[in-house]
């Protein structure tokens, strides 16, 4: 009881001091001229926010589309990864490992430029969705594999011996449990995915960062715009990270799929001992 | 090998290996930087008390929840001669940006390593006559390392892959070099070679992680 009350009293103090430091830094910035107030003025205009809002919509659409497509491809891929044996399993494993070993930006550029060389001209946005889906489906396949592996083999055997087919076993017994365990990892991966949509800008596509660049090319307030862009991404990703943590905390320790390191590096998507 | 070492690549091999070297410099340098930041960050988070602990937490949350591209672009402008005047070198900006970004993840990994050891073990070690430093070095550290090595390996892989984003601020690393070769020779081979070059770094690391997980008794 005392521990809890101490913790409750502690938190706001630390946060208040943090806010005070942040406000102090900003004031110091204004005072010394490092953060000229006039460069922030464009952010008071409604037109700025409708402009950046259009970029944000593109970002969210790309993120959402890629997530859904990645799940559609990644779940069967993960089931294949967990249950296949023999040469096909090696091919699936090779594919998943190779994609995960490649920088997402390299994948995006190779798809964007490579496909147009092959005569298939994609727009930057389309190429980004294809690339993000390719990459994230491989990552999610590993998450799904870890999730399935974390369910006791006995459950598969029991379900099969009750007369369920493999597909029924997966759909009715294994996946519902595995998905619950995978939920935090999937949400974490969504954060990475949303952050990665910013790379579309390198392909020349117009999403949030691209709109931000056009914006500061007009007003000349580079640093300020980057701070605002960062804040917008933070406002989306931070709540998601809280959701991931809440989901994780809701699971018994022995059943967690541990996401170690950066979310997209799920080699250690191990079930905790 | 013939497929890889085509004319456009041979003609630009020096440039290509400069890119490879710079990617390595970025990855190794930022790994060292991120480790240093991570050790300090984790210590602050665990033992920092009311003020420093939330500060370290804010650092972690902020840098993990914004895109690396935005951070790098921000640092490139901030550190440029026109503003703070610290550096105009994209490689240096990349090193700083990657260190700070990856440091946030390393902080969390090391913190989890520290917390994985039951604090009662320290009390026990102390009551057996070990000093605080000895207890940390002989009891906590060996167990914490066990928890920390595989995730750190994963972060190293992510870091190698993230060096590609430094091309966006015009650092001549692998991906940028591949683009230059494409402009010069109209050949796509630079990009294919860059993919293979990344794999020469990430795949051995992935194998290392795999082996270390098994050695350290992670169930898979």
């Amino acid at each position: 009881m005392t521990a809890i009350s101490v913790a409750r009293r502690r938190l706001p103090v630390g946060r208040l001091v943090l806010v005070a430091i942040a406000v102090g830094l900003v004031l110091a910035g204004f005072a010394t001229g490092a953060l000229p107030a006039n460069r922030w003025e464009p952010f008071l205009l409604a037109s700025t926010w409708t402009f950046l809002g259009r970029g944000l919509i593109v970002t969210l659409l790309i993120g959402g589309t890629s997530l859904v497509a990645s799940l559609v491809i990644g779940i069967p891929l993960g089931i294949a990864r967990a249950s296949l044996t023999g040469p096909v399993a090696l091919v699936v494993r090779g594919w998943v490992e190779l994609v995960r070993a490649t920088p997402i930006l390299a994948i995006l550029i190779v798809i964007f430029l490579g496909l147009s060389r092959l005569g298939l001209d994609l727009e930057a946005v389309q190429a980004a969705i294809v690339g993000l889906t390719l990459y994230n489906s491989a990552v999610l396949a590993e998450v799904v594999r870890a999730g399935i592996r974390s369910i006791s083999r006995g459950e598969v055997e029991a379900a099969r011996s009750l007369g369920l087919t493999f597909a029924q076993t997966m759909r009715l017994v294994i996946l519902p449990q595995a998905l619950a365990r995978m939920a935090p990892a999937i949400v974490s991966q969504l954060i990475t995915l949303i952050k990665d949509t910013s790379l579309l800008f390198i392909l020349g596509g117009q999403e949030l960062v691209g709109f931000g660049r056009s914006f500061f090319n007009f007003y000349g307030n580079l640093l300020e715009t980057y701070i605002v862009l960062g804040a917008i991404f933070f406002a989306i990703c931070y709540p998601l990270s809280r959701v991931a943590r809440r989901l994780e905390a809701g699971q018994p320790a022995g059943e967690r799929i541990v996401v170690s390191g950066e979310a997209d590096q799920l080699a250690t998507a191990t079930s905790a001992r | 090998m013939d497929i890889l070492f085509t004319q456009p690549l041979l003609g630009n091999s020096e440039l290509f290996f400069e890119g490879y070297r710079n990617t390595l410099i970025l990855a190794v340098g930022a790994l060292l930087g991120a480790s240093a930041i991570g050790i300090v960050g984790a210590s602050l988070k665990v033992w920092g008390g009311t003020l420093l602990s939330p500060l370290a937490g804010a650092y972690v949350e902020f840098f993990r929840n914004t895109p690396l591209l935005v951070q790098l672009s921000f640092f490139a402008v901030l550190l440029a001669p026109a503003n703070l005047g610290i550096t105009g070198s994209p490689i240096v900006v990349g090193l700083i940006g990657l260190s700070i970004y990856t440091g946030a993840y390393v902080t969390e990994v090391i913190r989890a390593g520290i917390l994985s050891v039951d604090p009662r073990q320290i009390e026990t070690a102390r009551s057996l006559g070990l000093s605080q430093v000895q207890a940390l070095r002989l009891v906590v550290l060996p167990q914490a390392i066990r928890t920390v090595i595989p995730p750190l390996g994963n972060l190293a892989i992510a870091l190698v892959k993230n060096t590609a984003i430094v091309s966006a601020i015009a650092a001549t690393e692998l991906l940028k070099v591949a683009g230059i070769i494409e402009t010069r020779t109209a050949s796509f081979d630079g990009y294919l070679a860059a993919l293979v070059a990344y794999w020469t770094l990430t795949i051995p690391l992935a194998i290392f992680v795999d082996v270390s997980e098994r050695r350290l008794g992670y169930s898979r």
Side-chain angles (χ1 to χ4, degrees), chain A residues 100 135 145 195 245 268, chain B residues 64 154 161 213 220:
Chain A
R100 285 173 58 240
Y135 179 78
R145 184 187 76 107
K195 292 195 299 179
R245 214 170 303 165
T268 358
Chain B
R64 286 204 310 183
N154 280 328
K161 298 197 302 182
E213 271 172 3
R220 294 219 45 161

Side-chain angles (χ1 to χ4, degrees), chain A residues 10 14 17-18 100-103 105 117 135 145 195 198 226 230 233-234 245 262 265 267-268 270-271 273, chain B residues 50-51 55 61 64 66-67 69 73 101 105 146 154-155 158 161 164 182 186 195 199 202 213 217 219-220:
Chain A
R10 253 185 203 168
V17 173
L18 271 188
R100 285 173 58 240
T102 314
L105 181 56
R117 275 173 177 266
Y135 179 78
R145 184 187 76 107
K195 292 195 299 179
S198 64
Y226 280 128
F233 274 104
F234 184 81
R245 214 170 303 165
E262 202 171 359
Q265 278 308 322
T268 358
T270 55
S271 59
R273 283 144 290 162
Chain B
T50 22
L51 181 57
L55 194 65
E61 297 303 341
R64 286 204 310 183
T66 46
L69 176 65
S73 311
Y101 177 80
Y105 289 91
R146 216 178 95 107
N154 280 328
L155 282 184
K161 298 197 302 182
E182 199 210 15
L195 287 185
W199 292 334
T202 50
E213 271 172 3
S219 57
R220 294 219 45 161

Side-chain angles (χ1 to χ4, degrees), chain A residues 10 14 17-18 21 93 98 100-103 105-106 109-110 113-114 117 135 142 145 191 195 198-199 201-202 209 213 222-223 226-227 229-230 233-234 237-238 241 245 260-262 264-265 267-268 270-273, chain B residues 50-51 54-55 58 61-62 64-67 69-70 73-74 77-78 83 101 105 109 146 150-151 154-155 157-158 161-162 164-165 167-168 175 182 186-188 191 195 198-199 202-203 209-210 213 217-220:
Chain A
R10 253 185 203 168
V17 173
L18 271 188
I21 291 174
R93 175 170 187 187
L98 209 56
R100 285 173 58 240
T102 314
L105 181 56
I109 289 180
V110 165
L113 300 178
R117 275 173 177 266
Y135 179 78
E142 275 306 283
R145 184 187 76 107
I191 297 174
K195 292 195 299 179
S198 64
L199 301 175
F201 146 73
I202 296 172
V209 178
R213 301 270 289 210
L222 282 72
L223 285 176
Y226 280 128
I227 292 173
L229 291 180
F233 274 104
F234 184 81
C237 296
Y238 179 66
S241 76
R245 214 170 303 165
S260 69
E262 202 171 359
D264 61 343
Q265 278 308 322
T268 358
T270 55
S271 59
R273 283 144 290 162
Chain B
T50 22
L51 181 57
L55 194 65
E61 297 303 341
F62 187 78
R64 286 204 310 183
N65 288 307
T66 46
L69 176 65
V70 173
S73 311
F74 176 78
V77 178
L78 182 73
N83 287 301
Y101 177 80
Y105 289 91
V109 167
R146 216 178 95 107
N154 280 328
L155 282 184
I157 299 174
K161 298 197 302 182
N162 282 334
I165 300 179
S167 65
L175 211 53
E182 199 210 15
S187 159
F188 202 61
Y191 281 114
L195 287 185
Y198 281 117
W199 292 334
T202 50
I203 292 177
V209 171
D210 212 49
E213 271 172 3
Y218 277 70
S219 57
R220 294 219 45 161

